[in-house]
Amino acid sequence: MGDVSSCNSTKGCNSSSWKESPLVLGVTVATAALGGRYMIRAWQAFKARPSVPHIRRFYEGGFQHSMTRREAALILGVREHAVVEKIKEAHRRVMVANHPDSGGSHYLASKINEAKDVLMGRAKGTGSAF
């Protein structure tokens, strides 16, 4: 370590210098290396995980013969008992994406309109025109 002449009664011993404690330096370097290896492996595992969407934005699947509130809610992406403002907002959002004037399907547009009618309580007894 240090020699006795470096210890002074007013300043104390200077034993915490990096030159005088190679063990502390070695442990620090080893800890940094292990931490870096752990971070690299965690990043590689994060990149290798499958890409699964967390939220489905639109209803996937075929349509039932007569539309139910559940199916209407799935089509618009809202809850079955959503407030009128949320239903209108969801209807607008889905119709903008599927409007026939911008390349969408007439069939899908009619189903989206039917879903809005079902959720707002204006359901027709016959269902879709298609």
Side-chain angles (χ1 to χ4, degrees), residues 13-116:
C13 292
N14 191 8
S15 63
S16 65
S17 170
W18 289 109
K19 293 179 184 177
E20 295 178 336
S21 57
L23 180 65
V24 173
L25 180 63
V27 168
T28 303
V29 169
T31 303
L34 289 173
R37 186 176 92 181
Y38 174 79
M39 293 301 288
I40 289 171
R41 286 185 178 175
W43 177 252
Q44 288 172 344
F46 175 75
K47 287 192 326 184
R49 69 177 169 70
S51 174
V52 177
H54 297 286
I55 298 173
R56 292 186 314 182
R57 294 191 70 127
F58 301 108
Y59 177 66
E60 298 174 4
F63 298 107
Q64 298 174 1
H65 180 63
S66 65
M67 187 170 294
T68 62
R69 287 188 65 83
R70 180 182 181 278
E71 183 180 26
L74 287 171
I75 290 170
L76 294 180
V78 296
R79 294 180 186 259
E80 289 183 44
H81 301 289
V83 294
V84 174
E85 293 83 25
K86 290 221 183 228
I87 294 170
K88 287 181 179 179
E89 177 187 331
H91 175 263
R92 182 184 180 286
R93 178 177 38 90
V94 176
M95 272 307 276
V96 165
N98 295 292
H99 198 275
D101 291 344
S102 58
S105 165
H106 289 282
Y107 178 72
L108 288 179
S110 70
K111 284 297 191 177
I112 293 166
N113 287 329
E114 183 182 357
K116 176 186 171 195

